[in-house]
Every structure is written in structure tokens, then in C-alpha cells.
Amino acid sequence: GYIEPWAIAPNGNAVVAAATDNLSDNIASFPFDATLPPQALTATRGLHEYPEWSPDGKRVAYISWTTTLPRLVMIDASGGAERQIVAEYQRFTWLSNDALVLVSNEAIRIIDTTGHVRGQFAIPPQFRSVSGFRRPIKDPASSRIAYGSDVANGVVIVDLDKKTFTVAVHRQAPLDPAAWSQDGLALFVSGADDAAGVDGRRARRVLRVPLSGGPPAVVVNLPSFCAAVVLDTDARHIVCEMRRSAPDVWLADKAGRSGW
């Protein structure tokens, strides 16, 4: 099954991902040290998606589809029982070790890890995003977040203290915010190259975009097989997902019951 990377650990030693197994999609941590085994954080039926580490690396929040409705939940990075934060499906990111930011199409909310709302405000129509699960990313140097917006045709930066919105990166092709610089002066964005390669697929690239103006700089051109790209602060690490497929063999007894 697929292993979709979603966030790099704050210590830079592992990536947390949604990994398909015999139950469904579960959350697991994959160390960069290949001699260490992956650590399964969840092992239950249902979908578990979009995991993200808390800033101190002690907890992982993700969307859980183990009940009728999706829920935003969290679990200790060492494992254990999941704890519900709020019973809804939203794009989110950690604001601090005890607070998260939820970004819907129409509003931004700041909640604590029990779901208590600390603050909220509306998103102006021209800055809304209406498609996909594009994770907002937190500026490590301030109370700003960035997210991709189809309506604004670019990357929107929100100052959570001042409640102001600006378009920082206008785009000709889809470019999604992937990471901030440590000093908050630049954004790293990822997207597909304009031209297709010999295999007919467009290679992905990572750009560093200075927020004070000036042209973006190419950090790396990735192979065309990269289906998903994850960065950490300053793009110290870049994780790329490669998808491969192979045939399966299925068995059935004479009664027609399938075997696993």
C-alpha cells in the first residue's frame, strides 16, 4: 500500500506518514536511520490521515475516520490511545504545544487541545481556498500561517494577531507552501515544473521565495516520480514519496470465501 509522508519530526530524525496496511490507512513514524524499524502509532480500522507533529515532537495530530464522522484527534508520539480534539474535518496546523489553528473555507479558529475555542475570525472571500487538503504552515518566527488559495491564485499569509491577509506568492502553476525559513523572511514552495519530462510527467521542484521581493530561487529539482513532497524548516530535509505498484495474488477456497 501507499506510504504518504506528511510531516518531518522537529528533531529532523523521522517523517510521520499515513501508511496503508491490512486494516486501512494508519499513522506511522519512519526514522531516517534505515537501521531502525518504523513505529506504528495507530493500528485500527478506518482512515487516519494528515498527521502532524506538535512543536515539541511529543504528540501527533491527525484526521481520524474511525467513526461515522471525521474527527481531529491526537496521540502521543510514543503511542497509546487517541484523544479527540474536535469532531470535524478541517485543515489544521499546530500553533504551539497546546494550541492548533483550523482553516476552513470561510473562517480561521484557534483552539486548544481539548477543542476549546480561543479565538476566531472570518476569511475574506478573495483569500479563500476551496479545493484539496492543503495543510497551513506556521511561521516559526511569528504568529503567521501560510496556505495555498485557489481563489487568490497564490499563497496567502495570515497574521493571526493582526487578523490581516496578504498574497505572498502569485503563481502561474500550482505552488503550495511547504515550509518557512527559520527567520520568517522566506517561504519554501513546491510544485510541478512547467514542462513535462520524457516520461510525460512534470517533475516537481522546490523554490525559496523571499517575502521582501525578488525572484524565487530553485532549491532542488526533484525526479518526476515524486508524488508528494514534505519539507521542514529551512528545507533542511526534503522527503519525497515514490509510488510503485505490483500485482497481487488472491486465493479462494471451493466455497468461494476469499483468503488473505
Side-chain angles (χ1 to χ4, degrees):
Y2 290 134
I3 299 174
E4 185 173 12
W6 201 251
I8 297 173
N11 61 13
N13 291 337
V15 61
V16 69
T20 304
D21 54 27
N22 287 339
L23 295 172
S24 190
D25 285 356
N26 273 292
I27 305 300
S29 172
F30 293 83
F32 289 161
D33 183 348
T35 65
L36 299 176
Q39 178 187 2
L41 300 184
T42 66
T44 57
R45 292 191 179 278
L47 295 177
H48 310 77
E49 301 176 298
Y50 316 121
E52 185 177 348
W53 305 87
S54 61
D56 59 10
K58 294 182 178 180
R59 288 173 289 183
V60 174
Y62 55 92
I63 301 295
S64 173
W65 296 78
T66 53
T67 60
T68 305
L69 298 175
R71 300 173 299 140
L72 174 59
V73 300
M74 65 181 180
I75 195 170
D76 291 339
S78 57
E82 69 179 23
R83 303 183 294 280
Q84 178 173 297
I85 300 174
V86 64
E88 59 185 88
Y89 170 91
Q90 295 289 4
R91 290 165 291 176
F92 71 92
T93 190
W94 289 89
L95 181 60
S96 62
N97 291 322
D98 63 349
L100 301 96
V101 182
L102 307 185
V103 181
S104 69
N105 183 40
E106 298 181 350
I108 290 176
R109 272 184 297 154
I110 299 172
I111 62 173
D112 63 21
T113 53
T114 67
H116 175 73
V117 177
R118 293 184 175 180
Q120 60 184 348
F121 53 95
I123 300 175
Q126 66 269 31
F127 298 113
R128 293 175 181 174
S129 181
V130 294
S131 64
F133 192 103
R134 294 174 179 170
R135 177 173 66 93
I137 54 173
K138 167 71 170 59
D139 176 10
S142 72
S143 60
R144 297 180 299 173
I145 62 170
Y147 62 86
S149 169
D150 295 331
V151 176
N153 195 33
V155 176
V156 174
I157 292 180
V158 185
D159 188 313
L160 299 176
D161 291 333
K162 299 178 181 178
K163 300 179 178 59
T164 56
F165 296 76
T166 57
V167 180
V169 183
H170 292 278
R171 62 193 183 194
Q172 300 300 320
L175 292 173
D176 291 325
W180 287 81
S181 62
Q182 184 64 49
D183 55 16
L185 299 180
L187 276 173
F188 293 87
V189 298
S190 68
D193 203 345
D194 295 332
V198 294
D199 58 359
R201 293 186 293 183
R202 295 192 302 166
R204 298 187 68 87
R205 57 183 175 172
V206 175
L207 305 174
R208 184 184 186 275
V209 182
L211 298 180
S212 59
V218 177
V219 176
V220 63
N221 289 307
L222 298 168
S224 59
F225 58 69
C226 286
V229 180
V230 177
L231 284 68
D232 58 1
T233 302
D234 276 331
R236 293 186 300 257
H237 302 89
I238 300 175
V239 174
C240 169
E241 176 196 25
M242 179 176 66
R243 293 188 174 185
R244 295 178 295 181
S245 60
D248 289 328
V249 176
W250 293 78
L251 301 178
D253 63 18
K254 291 182 179 179
R257 294 188 297 269
S258 61
W260 293 78

